[in-house]
Amino acid sequence: MKKYRITDVPASELDQLLSDLRLEGYDPEIHQQPDGAYIVEAIRANGDGDGNGGDGTGGNAGGGNGGNAGGPASTIERFVSARAPQPLQVIYRRSDGRELVREGGSRAWRNNNPGNIERGSFADEHDAIGGDTRFAIFPSEQTGLLAVGALLRSPSYRNLTLQAAINRYAPPSENNTAGYIGFVSSKTGIDAGDVLSTLNDSEIAKLCRSIQVIEGWNPGREYEAGARSSLVGVKPKEPVSSAAEAATDWMRVALTEEALPWTERSEWQDPGENPRILNYIRVAAPWYDPIKDGGDEVHWCASFVNYCLEQAGYHGTGHPGARSFFWNNENRFIFLAEPVYGCIAVFRDSPFVDVKWLTGTGHAGFITRWTDTQIEMLGGNQGNTVKREWYPKEWKKAGKVTRKLAGYYVPVMN
């Protein structure tokens, strides 16, 4: 269960807070204090819905489109993944595949990350849905503020004074830390020597809000993607010369997944379903329900490739099949005549009669090494797990070709 509690909520902010919490999948209850302010308590059960809400103790923020809520189906649009395909732009994807673009403004605003929390395990545990080159992207402002509050209540911060906490949060090497401390203290009334664990929920909420202000929350332009991105349909005139360098973006994600313990990156024995594999598929193709086709035992190699691309800020195909790279419907990929490190290798299984490859299976993964006749791929669904494996460029059985290489691809460089 995820629990949320905040005291001293002004009546003027109550309706907005309740609305935000419901968007995040919480079931809030309110209790009026003797002074007329309110206590808000809310619980969200893990597993009810996709659960992209927040946790921790955050500010009374007004949210945007929240994470996937639990419980009954809702008509509210929610974001399930996000990417930063180019500087000053973040694209949020809804569960039905439609996208919203945020451009300009401050980085904190574009990322729904009021505290500029860095991407990583903490952000993931507090419902981040993506990241740019350094910082996490959250599904709503409210979720981002909840993450800031959770961080301040975490073992790394709760026993520090406000001054020591800000020195850690905004070190002098990157910030005017003394000015940061002075601003936060003046806005919240919290003394620089106060220990965070002694602060009540209302004071933590004020602290989160003041951090949001000093980190920079400046809205830019927000609009529906329409054709999913202003870059869609733009086909480069020449092959990408920096493909190997750019590949480090998505290969960093793939290598991180490969380094996970075996049970976290592999199919589970029925009736279990590995939620990590299901998440690969959900991010890659939000419209597709793998549970109907076998859960984590469906073909998920292309979903793994798409997941790594999306997490690194590049467009995927939006489809769970390996053939979707071959289709290249929106010119999101460039065909390479020769392999490079980190490019996507796509195999096609027989029959090969349909030149458009509208149906049928195949395999996709990232190339790590190659010879004239074989390629080593880092990919998903290779022996039911994420690992590296060598593949011949052409497979034969009883003298007939059963699988062959369909091509090498890299995404359009943003």
Side-chain angles (χ1 to χ4, degrees):
M1 304 286 285
K2 289 190 173 183
K3 298 181 179 180
Y4 174 81
R5 185 177 188 273
I6 186 167
T7 60
D8 302 320
V9 179
S12 61
E13 298 184 7
L14 180 63
D15 288 344
Q16 182 65 67
L17 176 61
L18 295 177
S19 175
D20 292 337
L21 287 170
R22 292 187 181 106
L23 282 174
E24 300 300 332
Y26 288 92
D27 183 17
E29 293 184 359
I30 61 173
H31 310 278
Q32 192 166 21
Q33 300 173 177
D35 62 0
Y38 291 87
I39 298 172
V40 178
E41 296 179 329
I43 296 175
R44 186 182 71 198
N46 292 336
D48 291 346
D50 292 335
N52 283 335
D55 194 10
T57 308
N60 300 337
N65 289 315
N68 285 357
S74 170
T75 58
I76 297 172
E77 298 172 336
R78 301 183 178 92
F79 299 123
V80 296
S81 65
R83 63 186 184 277
Q86 61 184 3
L88 303 180
Q89 184 186 78
V90 172
I91 300 177
Y92 291 84
R93 177 178 290 180
R94 300 180 177 90
S95 58
D96 62 4
R98 293 180 301 117
E99 295 179 326
L100 182 79
V101 180
R102 279 189 168 187
E103 286 183 342
S106 63
R107 194 174 196 172
W109 174 80
R110 289 194 304 275
N111 291 353
N112 271 323
N113 188 348
N116 281 326
I117 292 174
E118 294 190 358
R119 61 189 302 176
S121 59
F122 177 87
D124 292 342
E125 290 168 4
H126 291 84
D127 302 319
I129 56 172
D132 60 21
T133 55
R134 179 178 177 184
F135 297 101
I137 301 174
F138 293 96
S140 70
E141 178 186 357
Q142 176 68 18
T143 307
L145 276 165
L146 291 171
V148 177
L151 182 63
L152 298 178
R153 291 295 200 193
S154 71
S156 297
Y157 282 88
R158 65 189 177 204
N159 294 321
L160 300 178
T161 63
L162 177 64
Q163 180 173 347
I166 293 178
N167 267 282
R168 174 174 291 182
Y169 194 95
S173 60
E174 299 180 5
N175 301 270
N176 176 6
T177 305
Y180 201 126
I181 296 169
F183 176 86
V184 170
S185 183
S186 66
K187 290 294 183 181
T188 62
I190 301 170
D191 189 82
D194 289 346
V195 177
L196 298 191
S197 62
T198 67
L199 304 182
N200 61 34
D201 291 337
S202 179
E203 289 170 322
I204 288 290
K206 292 177 182 178
L207 184 53
C208 291
R209 277 300 195 184
S210 65
I211 288 175
Q212 178 179 19
V213 172
I214 200 167
E215 288 289 335
W217 187 266
N218 303 309
R221 181 187 178 207
E222 187 176 84
Y223 60 93
E224 295 296 322
R228 303 175 68 87
S229 168
S230 59
L231 298 174
V232 170
V234 178
K235 190 172 183 179
K237 297 179 180 179
E238 301 293 338
V240 177
S241 60
S242 60
E245 180 180 352
T248 59
D249 294 341
W250 58 81
M251 288 302 289
R252 186 180 299 111
V253 179
L255 291 167
T256 298
E257 298 300 308
E258 180 194 26
L260 291 170
W262 186 88
T263 54
E264 293 185 32
R265 55 183 165 88
S266 306
E267 296 175 13
W268 291 357
Q269 185 175 359
D270 286 337
E273 304 290 354
N274 187 336
R276 195 171 199 91
I277 294 176
L278 297 183
N279 187 55
Y280 294 156
I281 301 169
R282 178 179 64 82
V283 171
W287 56 270
Y288 174 63
D289 182 6
I291 298 298
K292 295 179 180 179
D293 294 330
D296 63 7
E297 296 175 5
V298 300
H299 297 291
W300 51 276
C301 59
S303 293
F304 176 77
V305 171
N306 278 316
Y307 171 85
C308 294
L309 294 176
E310 295 276 356
Q311 293 301 301
Y314 294 84
H315 284 294
T317 65
H319 192 280
R323 61 188 183 276
S324 61
F325 294 98
F326 176 84
W327 296 340
N328 197 16
N329 285 338
E330 295 179 323
N331 294 323
R332 294 182 174 181
F333 296 86
I334 301 168
F335 176 82
L336 300 180
E338 299 292 337
V340 295
Y341 175 80
C343 74
I344 303 160
V346 178
F347 283 95
R348 179 178 180 178
D349 296 330
S350 61
F352 309 112
V353 178
D354 179 11
V355 295
K356 294 184 178 180
W357 195 7
L358 297 179
T359 60
T361 59
H363 187 64
F366 298 112
I367 290 184
T368 50
R369 292 185 293 174
W370 61 93
T371 69
D372 290 340
T373 59
Q374 293 183 312
I375 55 177
E376 183 189 56
M377 295 168 63
L378 169 55
N381 202 23
Q382 298 187 171
N384 301 329
T385 189
V386 174
K387 67 175 185 178
R388 303 182 201 205
E389 194 166 4
W390 281 94
Y391 291 88
K393 293 183 179 179
E394 187 174 85
W395 300 54
K396 289 185 178 181
K397 186 175 182 180
K400 294 184 177 180
V401 176
T402 58
R403 171 178 283 185
K404 63 181 180 181
L405 186 66
Y408 307 113
Y409 301 85
V410 291
V412 170
M413 300 304 153
N414 300 321

